[in-house]
Amino acid sequence: MDESMVAVRETGDALTQLRANTLAELNLGGDRGRGNKAQLGVQAATRLADALRGNTSLRSLTLNYNTKLGRKHALHPIAKALRNHVALRRLSLKATALTAADVSHLVGELEHRGVPLDHLDLSSNNLPPDCAHALASLVRNNLVKTLDLSWNPDLGVGTGQDQHHQHQKPPSRKSSAASDGGDGGYGGVGSPRGSGVGGGVGCVGGVGGSVGASSTSTSTS
């Protein structure tokens, strides 16, 4: 049986609750890619997106370790559904094999949405430098309060424990403009001048960044 169909069957109850607007937190995270049969594929992601479109109750969505979200571009229908889902506050996409195209698509939908997320986790995706401009746009438009970019070395973000700092008050506008990240100096990723990610938003793992709220989600069986 196709893995995506298995995922649909295993998450059927959650989808029913989404449609009934009785679910506030949903964790469909995988198991670090170790053969999880509930790995979300294109079909399962499409079913989830359909359930999200009419939902107004969900506040937190965790899809960690579902690598088909990136490899099969299965994130796209979910991202499109989120453009009108203004209730969502936390989105976790850790280790989902996202590409620059996936990030660009997600940022575009979040910009259309216009309501800021409290927390967005894009850690452990090996995001390429091409993502810096899209992420900087997300931050400049104040569409995310904390952004986790840890374990993305190609963005200039290291992988050590020192990447997690306590939340700090952003520096003044004058000092931010003087930093290497240009417009995105504070919390900026080690990318070319003017394309850094930060701009005063708490960036987990960002060079010179700070940690905002930690991500917590409850698994729904």
Side-chain angles (χ1 to χ4, degrees), residues 146-161:
T146 60
L147 176 61
D148 190 340
L149 293 175
S150 57
W151 295 83
N152 280 294
D154 286 346
L155 285 178
V157 180
T159 57
Q161 294 180 352

Side-chain angles (χ1 to χ4, degrees), residues 9-126:
R9 297 182 69 172
E10 292 189 345
T11 59
D13 183 57
L15 297 180
T16 298
Q17 292 182 62
L18 280 176
R19 294 187 182 98
N21 284 310
T22 59
L23 196 64
E25 298 184 2
L26 178 58
N27 187 338
L28 296 177
D31 59 355
R32 298 175 184 265
R34 291 193 286 264
N36 182 12
K37 65 179 180 179
Q39 181 85 200
L40 289 177
V42 176
Q43 293 182 51
T46 299
R47 291 286 297 274
L48 174 58
D50 289 342
L52 285 170
R53 286 192 182 93
N55 176 269
T56 58
S57 65
L58 195 67
R59 300 293 184 271
S60 176
L61 177 60
T62 298
L63 300 172
N64 299 343
Y65 303 111
N66 283 289
T67 56
K68 288 186 178 181
L69 291 180
R71 291 173 182 166
K72 300 287 187 179
H73 302 296
L75 177 64
H76 289 206
I78 297 173
K80 187 174 182 179
L82 293 180
R83 66 158 53 192
N84 295 316
H85 197 300
V86 297
L88 193 72
R89 291 293 178 265
R90 304 177 69 85
L91 178 60
S92 188
L93 298 167
K94 178 179 182 179
T96 47
L98 299 183
T99 65
D102 296 321
V103 171
S104 179
H105 186 82
L106 175 63
V107 169
E109 298 296 353
L110 293 178
E111 288 178 338
H112 185 280
R113 179 177 183 261
V115 177
L117 290 170
D118 289 340
H119 185 78
L120 175 60
D121 187 349
L122 298 177
S123 63
S124 302
N125 275 294
N126 290 317

Side-chain angles (χ1 to χ4, degrees), residues 112-178:
H112 185 280
R113 179 177 183 261
V115 177
L117 290 170
D118 289 340
H119 185 78
L120 175 60
D121 187 349
L122 298 177
S123 63
S124 302
N125 275 294
N126 290 317
L127 296 175
D130 308 28
C131 295
H133 289 288
L135 293 172
S137 174
L138 188 68
V139 171
R140 280 197 304 271
N141 291 316
N142 297 315
L143 294 178
V144 61
K145 295 180 181 178
T146 60
L147 176 61
D148 190 340
L149 293 175
S150 57
W151 295 83
N152 280 294
D154 286 346
L155 285 178
V157 180
T159 57
Q161 294 180 352
D162 61 332
Q163 295 303 317
H164 294 78
H165 312 284
Q166 294 300 313
H167 183 72
Q168 302 170 359
K169 181 179 179 181
S172 66
R173 185 177 183 85
K174 181 177 181 180
S175 61
S176 292

